[in-house]
Amino acid sequence: MNSARTTTVATVVRVSTEQIAGPVGQDARFNEYVVPELEVLYRVAYSITRNKADAEDLVQDTLLRAYRAIDRFDGRYPRAWLLTIMRNAQVNRVRRKRPELMHDPDETMSRVADESADAADAEAQLMDQTLAAPIELALASLPTKFRSVVELVDINELSYKEAAEVLGIPVGTVMSRLHRARRNIRQHLESSPVEE
Amino acid sequence: MAKKVNCTEVARRLQTYLDGELEGDWKERVQAHLDDCVMCGLEQDAFSAIKADLSALPSSPPAESEALQRLRDFSARISQEASS
Ligand SMILES: [Zn+2]
């Protein structure tokens, strides 16, 4: 499993860091594959947790896990790899916080997300956006599980597959939620008065 | 020559098409239909506009740069601590 670590240092320094991550390659690979994705990770974490402090925490957790696992990463699709790690980290965090809710991870995540964005929070957010565009209000009025998919795909530009990875749901569910959410936004926009 | 599709089939796949996630020859079939059909073309415009508006929204909460800086520092610390 972890053969790279048990290789002697002498061997490691002779081998290209591209091929084997030893104590030397680990940092290089971390900087190459993980650090460039920090911003995406933070945005996605925020979409999942709906809370700045939790988002930062979740990214830190993800970074630590990624660092530990980087020698086993094959270098392809770093973003998808990191999103899977983030998803696992989130499931773990939720489990630690509320063990009684662990029947369905998807359900649990959306419930916790719903709770963390409580009414007061949502209202404060709306008050912050006194000049918010109609589209923002339409988005804010969506239930969390629909809003998260829109945020991940339309705002953070994840693929369907990446969004599915992060939310731990099938790609088909991403599609149906996303498409329903956009239809809903469209209705919202068409029914709200146009302000000049 | 790809088989022609009707409006219902296009409506079902329109958003996936706009997301660039439509696979196989469906992509060309939907595209061909959209070039010809006024009603579906209008639907396309509506969803394109929504998608464009959404993607123009700020992608993260305020004070993002501070949080990002802290995370960058955190990343640097992980490497340092692991190698010391
Ligand atoms: Zn048509």
Side-chain angles (χ1 to χ4, degrees):
Chain A
M1 196 62 184
N2 214 347
S3 60
R5 291 269 186 82
T6 53
T7 322
T8 63
V9 174
T11 318
V12 168
V13 291
R14 265 189 280 119
V15 180
S16 154
T17 58
E18 290 299 312
Q19 288 159 349
I20 286 192
V24 181
Q26 206 168 357
D27 285 355
R29 286 164 63 91
F30 188 74
N31 285 319
E32 179 179 354
Y33 298 122
V34 180
V35 174
E37 300 291 337
L38 268 181
E39 197 175 331
V40 171
L41 290 178
Y42 179 65
R43 286 194 258 124
V44 170
Y46 186 79
S47 293
I48 299 176
T49 61
R50 313 225 48 86
N51 170 303
K52 279 185 254 175
D54 285 349
E56 203 169 328
D57 245 38
L58 176 56
V59 176
Q60 289 191 353
D61 206 353
T62 306
L63 292 172
L64 285 169
R65 285 161 179 256
Y67 189 82
R68 275 186 244 124
I70 194 105
D71 53 354
R72 277 168 281 142
F73 173 54
D74 66 7
R76 292 188 305 154
Y77 311 114
R79 181 170 301 175
W81 175 69
L82 287 164
L83 293 177
T84 307
I85 293 178
M86 176 177 281
R87 155 82 184 158
N88 291 335
Q90 173 66 359
V91 167
N92 248 284
R93 289 161 53 86
V94 170
R95 192 182 286 149
R96 243 178 311 162
K97 268 193 208 160
R98 355 185 107 239
E100 76 279 16
L101 285 181
M102 267 320 282
H103 309 302
D104 171 1
D106 180 32
E107 183 59 19
T108 305
M109 291 226 335
S110 42
R111 241 192 291 178
V112 169
D114 281 337
E115 280 163 14
S116 66
D118 55 34
D121 208 17
E123 196 169 335
Q125 262 183 19
L126 280 179
M127 297 303 286
D128 278 349
Q129 330 166 313
T130 35
L131 293 174
I135 189 101
E136 267 181 292
L137 298 176
L139 180 62
S141 70
L142 291 177
T144 303
K145 69 176 186 179
F146 291 100
R147 191 176 49 199
S148 299
V149 183
V150 173
E151 286 179 350
L152 293 175
V153 174
D154 283 334
I155 304 182
N156 294 321
E157 296 177 339
L158 299 194
S159 67
Y160 289 177
K161 194 167 177 304
E162 288 168 342
E165 203 80 75
V166 136
L167 296 170
I169 57 179
V171 171
T173 310
V174 168
M175 289 168 72
S176 63
R177 284 187 191 174
L178 181 65
H179 297 178
R180 267 179 68 189
R182 291 201 193 118
R183 272 198 199 102
N184 204 302
I185 288 173
R186 183 181 177 185
Q187 273 173 2
H188 200 281
L189 292 178
E190 284 169 353
S191 62
S192 60
V194 179
E195 286 171 45
E196 291 304 313
Chain B
M1 169 85 199
K3 200 174 137 249
K4 287 220 168 180
V5 288
N6 63 37
C7 296
T8 316
E9 289 171 304
V10 169
R12 206 181 299 142
R13 291 170 179 85
L14 180 59
Q15 296 195 46
T16 313
Y17 170 80
L18 292 175
D19 289 331
E21 301 246 7
L22 209 50
E23 312 225 310
D25 62 347
W26 273 109
K27 196 172 149 188
E28 286 133 54
R29 289 154 82 179
V30 169
Q31 196 159 10
H33 183 98
L34 289 173
D35 288 341
D36 282 347
C37 176
V38 177
M39 288 311 290
C40 290
L42 289 172
E43 285 289 294
Q44 176 186 20
D45 293 345
F47 281 111
S48 300
I50 286 172
K51 201 172 157 59
D53 281 0
L54 285 169
S55 62
L57 289 178
S59 53
S60 42
E64 138 193 12
S65 56
E66 287 166 40
L68 274 176
Q69 192 48 54
R70 280 196 298 276
L71 288 169
R72 263 182 222 111
D73 296 344
F74 183 81
S75 302
R77 274 206 313 278
I78 295 179
S79 320
Q80 274 167 19
E81 275 165 30
S83 49
S84 65

